[in-house]
């Protein structure tokens, strides 16, 4: 199954992406994680083009499409993919359709996490991530180290108030039009409205699975 996760920064795409990938036994592909890895390595050939991440701007479509195309050909992506943070523009969505069509596949499901701005800011300003296993936490949980792998939790470079506003603006201008693109496509489109900051990732995940069942796109959960 090929799933696209839509939603503004802080909507929980990373967290839900990794939970759902395990539940459906598919791979989680986060372009943001791939770019953060590239930024750790200044000699990487794409490093100069990826530096815009720290300003909250989008990486160019050509570079993102190249990175994704390179990724989804790998054997570990053969069972299906949940795309987290990709596509982010109409041009990327068209490129993904072509990549999948060449493999005789298509986007089967779109999960749109529609989260209010108050909840987004609360989550992003308190967000902590584990650079090793990529899990996401909130400072209200009180962890200093990742409870799963023990690595020290850090804040993302682009999680500051100025960059967040830039990223939200990029989302509204360039990514929100994908809602219409996908609602007109053949993919099943599931939208989840979240306006309560106390809702946990488990609560949201339960709702997603329930909606997937109702839409006949949930066959087996691990
Ligand atoms: P994320 O982890 O999804 O919030 O992504 C972090 C940053 O990586 C974004 O603010 C962009 O600068 C960049 N990025 C991630 N995915 C894409 C994409 N599909 N297109 C362009 N830029 C992206």
């Amino acid at each position: 199954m090929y799933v696209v996760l839509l939603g503004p920064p802080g909507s929980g795409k990373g967290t839900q992406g990794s939970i759902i990938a395990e539940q459906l036994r598919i791979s989680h592909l986060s372009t943001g994680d791939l770019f953060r890895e590239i930024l750790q390595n200044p000699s990487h050939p794409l490093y100069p083009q990826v530096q815009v991440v720290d300003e909250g701007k989008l990486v160019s479509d050509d570079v993102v499409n190249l990175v994704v195309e390179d990724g989804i050909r790998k054997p570990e992506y053969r069972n299906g993919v949940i795309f987290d943070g990709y596509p982010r523009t109409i041009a990327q969505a068209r490129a993904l359709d072509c990549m999948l069509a060449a493999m005789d596949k298509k986007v089967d499901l779109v999960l749109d996490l529609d989260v209010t701005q108050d909840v987004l800011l609360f989550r992003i300003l308190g967000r902590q991530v584990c650079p090793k296993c990529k899990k996401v936490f909130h400072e209200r949980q009180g962890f200093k180290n990742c409870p799963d792998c023990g690595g020290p939790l850090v804040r993302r470079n682009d999680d500051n108030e100025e960059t967040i506003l830039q990223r939200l603006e990029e989302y509204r201008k360039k990514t929100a039009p994908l809602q219409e693109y996908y609602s007109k496509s053949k993919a099943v489109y599931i939208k989840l409205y979240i306006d309560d900051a106390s809702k946990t990732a488990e609560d949201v995940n339960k709702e997603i699975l329930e909606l997937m069942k109702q839409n006949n796109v949930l066959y087996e959960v691990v």
Side-chain angles (χ1 to χ4, degrees), residues 41-179:
N41 175 11
S43 58
H44 192 287
L46 295 177
Y47 183 85
Q49 284 109 306
V50 171
Q51 274 182 307
V52 292
V53 167
D54 284 337
E55 295 162 39
K57 295 190 183 142
L58 292 187
V59 175
S60 77
D61 289 335
D62 290 350
V63 170
V64 190
N65 291 333
L66 202 79
V67 168
V68 172
E69 192 159 19
D70 201 43
I72 59 171
R73 291 224 178 95
K74 292 185 181 152
E76 63 263 35
Y77 291 103
R78 212 171 279 153
N79 281 346
V81 181
I82 182 156
F83 295 98
D84 156 10
Y86 179 86
R88 256 180 160 100
T89 63
I90 299 277
Q92 291 178 20
R94 293 201 177 114
L96 177 62
D97 285 345
C98 290
M99 283 177 222
L100 293 179
M103 296 157 58
D104 214 14
K105 311 277 186 206
K106 61 176 174 46
V107 173
D108 302 292
L109 169 67
V110 176
L111 292 172
D112 182 3
L113 305 178
D114 182 12
V115 182
T116 59
Q117 181 148 328
D118 284 355
V119 176
L120 294 177
L121 291 177
F122 170 80
R123 285 190 184 167
I124 298 175
L125 293 173
R127 175 155 62 185
Q128 297 175 304
V129 293
C130 173
K132 226 163 120 194
C133 71
K134 317 286 184 225
K135 293 242 160 65
V136 184
F137 303 91
H138 194 276
E139 63 187 12
R140 76 177 161 186
Q141 292 170 282
F143 299 130
K144 290 249 175 314
N145 289 75
C146 175
D148 289 347
C149 75
L153 298 181
V154 298
R155 290 188 56 77
R156 277 172 46 168
N157 271 354
D158 57 347
D159 276 351
N160 57 74
E161 209 146 347
E162 193 190 332
T163 311
I164 291 163
L165 295 178
Q166 166 76 33
R167 283 157 60 208
L168 289 173
E169 189 53 24
E170 288 278 62
Y171 182 80
R172 273 184 214 113
K173 273 204 259 166
K174 298 184 182 157
T175 312
L178 289 179
Q179 295 168 325

